[in-house]
Amino acid sequence: MHGSPSRTRVAQAMPAPHPASAAQHHPPFWHHLKRDVFFWLLLLVCGAFSIVSPQRVADYPSLVDWHTIAALAGLLILTKAVESSGMLQLLGVRLVDAVSSERVLALSLVGASAALSTLLTNDVALFVIVPLTVGLRQVAKLPVTRLVIFEALAVNAGSALTPIGNPQNLFLWHQSGLSFGAFVWQMAPMVALLTVLLLVATWLAFPSHEIHLHAETGDVEVHKRLLLPALALYVPFLVLTDLGYPLAALAGLVVLYLIGARYVLARVDWGLLLVFVLMFIDLRLVAQLGVVRQTLDALALANPMHLYWAGIGVSQVISNVPAAILLAEYSHDWPLIAFAVSVGGFGTLIGSLANLIALRMAGDRRAWLAFHAYSIPFLVVAAGAVYAWLTWLR
């Protein structure tokens, strides 16, 4: 059936409403935030810290990485502009028309996510792939939430390869003093192992069923007034962010879209930024707790395998970026810390901030449970496999 006339005809048949009119029916971000259980949990934790130590409240703004928040906000704006242009819907139509089954589609998206994350960073890779994947809901009957979950796993695996793939690698790379190529050489075997495990898991999780397209009528319309400026602004925004000016870059974007396309700003998930602000505050307060530091002191982290399991475990509680920073105070074995926190990105939702970004963009309230149904077993397998590899090396 693949490539048949009926398949092609349906693939070209998906209407794209004008973005301005669509924005009028888009609910404000606080509408979704009111039902966001994770947001309220973070707010509850923050409130508990505030009651126990009210003198620390004035320090909360300093706990937030505002450069990361600004970079995330800018990417949200640009991604929403591309999404609103209809281009992702068109790409989704072409992609579904080109593959033969759910399994091939899943393997293609997972492979693309992992590859993009090595150079674009895990977060940026998600901003490229996840909106495209979510748009497939309008094209065909597909397990979109499951696809997004595996894309989150993929960027956590792929981004571990390079110093610029994720924030913890960037931090550890600077600590190590190694060249770019030497860092990649150290990480390549583990990333290859994780990638093989991920592709096997993807193969098992997605059937070889033929994709069933929806039978809507109409043509995909791409609004170039939205698409071309957004694409043109991506590289300058990323360059300015990399140079340390994300706040200025964000301010420029906001001004441009207030003037030319304010409905894009209205559709941005600003609630995600609030969640990230709370995560920075909560996770850094947890990392500073005496009981956390006492526990790490008692773990004899001079033992490499203790350090490995501690990195995985701590990542599940405070996320892998702060875990890397925390463990670097106890050990200078940066390769092992990098291995540990990379594996630690799997598992719980907060194991990696990329997990949160992916699931928020998926737009499925049930995604949180489904994510852990796949990510925790994958963590167990990946942690065991990497442990066996490290034991063989040593």
Side-chain angles (χ1 to χ4, degrees):
M1 293 291 292
H2 177 56
S4 65
S6 62
R7 185 177 172 86
T8 303
R9 183 175 62 255
V10 177
Q12 294 174 342
M14 190 201 58
H18 190 277
S21 62
Q24 295 174 357
H25 305 289
H26 189 75
F29 73 90
W30 58 82
H31 176 77
H32 298 293
L33 206 58
K34 289 189 298 185
R35 299 178 294 172
D36 190 331
V37 176
F38 188 63
F39 167 77
W40 290 108
L41 178 62
L42 289 171
L43 193 61
L44 181 64
V45 171
C46 186
F49 274 114
S50 302
I51 293 172
V52 173
S53 302
Q55 70 278 7
R56 295 292 309 276
V57 174
D59 298 330
Y60 285 0
S62 64
L63 299 176
V64 180
D65 186 339
W66 294 108
H67 280 203
T68 297
I69 297 297
L72 179 59
L75 289 169
L76 284 171
I77 293 171
L78 292 173
T79 303
K80 186 58 66 175
V82 173
E83 181 184 336
S84 300
S85 74
M87 186 61 190
L88 293 178
Q89 297 172 7
L90 179 61
L91 289 176
V93 166
R94 297 291 183 260
L95 176 61
V96 170
D97 195 42
V99 300
S100 58
S101 69
E102 287 185 13
R103 179 175 290 161
V104 174
L105 175 66
L107 289 169
S108 301
L109 290 172
V110 165
S113 300
L116 286 173
S117 67
T118 63
L119 295 177
L120 296 183
T121 76
N122 52 1
D123 296 347
V124 176
L126 289 174
F127 279 108
V128 174
I129 296 292
V130 173
L132 169 62
T133 306
V134 172
L136 295 177
R137 286 196 179 109
Q138 302 177 53
V139 178
K141 185 179 180 181
L142 290 166
V144 169
T145 297
R146 197 188 320 154
L147 287 169
V148 171
I149 289 169
F150 274 79
E151 288 162 2
L153 299 178
V155 300
N156 284 325
S159 66
L161 180 63
T162 65
I164 59 174
N166 53 51
Q168 66 269 21
N169 274 13
L170 188 60
F171 167 75
L172 293 169
W173 179 43
H174 289 158
Q175 295 293 309
S176 70
L178 288 179
S179 66
F180 189 99
F183 187 99
V184 171
W185 182 257
Q186 287 274 2
M187 300 300 293
M190 185 203 67
V191 173
L193 177 58
L194 293 178
T195 302
V196 169
L197 292 175
L198 180 62
L199 292 176
V200 170
T202 305
W203 180 278
L204 296 174
F206 293 88
S208 58
H209 297 162
E210 182 181 356
I211 296 173
H212 298 289
L213 297 163
H214 296 321
E216 284 101 354
T217 58
D219 293 324
V220 176
E221 181 184 359
V222 176
H223 302 279
K224 293 182 179 180
R225 282 186 61 254
L226 279 178
L227 176 64
L228 297 180
L231 294 179
L233 289 168
Y234 255 109
V235 172
F237 178 81
L238 291 175
V239 169
L240 285 173
T241 299
D242 187 57
L243 292 175
Y245 303 104
L247 292 171
L250 172 62
L253 282 183
V254 171
V255 170
L256 287 174
Y257 279 96
L258 278 175
I259 296 172
R262 63 180 60 188
Y263 51 84
V264 171
L265 299 179
R267 300 188 66 185
V268 169
D269 183 9
W270 300 108
L272 177 60
L273 299 181
L274 293 178
V275 169
F276 262 72
V277 168
L278 286 172
M279 281 190 70
F280 276 118
I281 294 172
D282 289 356
L283 295 179
R284 287 181 170 173
L285 288 174
V286 169
Q288 294 172 7
L289 289 175
V291 65
V292 173
R293 295 189 173 272
Q294 290 170 11
T295 301
L296 290 175
D297 286 332
L299 289 179
L301 297 181
N303 183 310
M305 291 302 100
H306 289 191
L307 180 64
Y308 172 72
W309 291 112
I312 294 173
V314 172
S315 296
Q316 306 310 302
V317 180
I318 65 172
S319 190
N320 54 6
V321 177
I325 296 171
L326 184 62
L327 291 174
E329 298 181 14
Y330 293 84
S331 173
H332 297 296
D333 191 349
W334 73 263
L336 196 58
I337 295 175
F339 298 151
V341 298
S342 295
V343 175
F346 309 118
T348 64
L349 174 65
I350 61 174
S352 168
L353 298 183
N355 299 338
L356 176 64
I357 292 175
L359 296 197
R360 288 282 301 195
M361 295 176 75
D364 183 353
R365 293 179 62 193
R366 298 169 296 178
W368 316 104
L369 291 174
F371 174 81
H372 290 101
Y374 289 103
S375 64
I376 291 178
F378 189 80
L379 170 66
V380 172
V381 174
V386 173
Y387 174 76
W389 169 67
L390 289 173
T391 303
W392 176 74
L393 281 181
R394 294 174 185 270

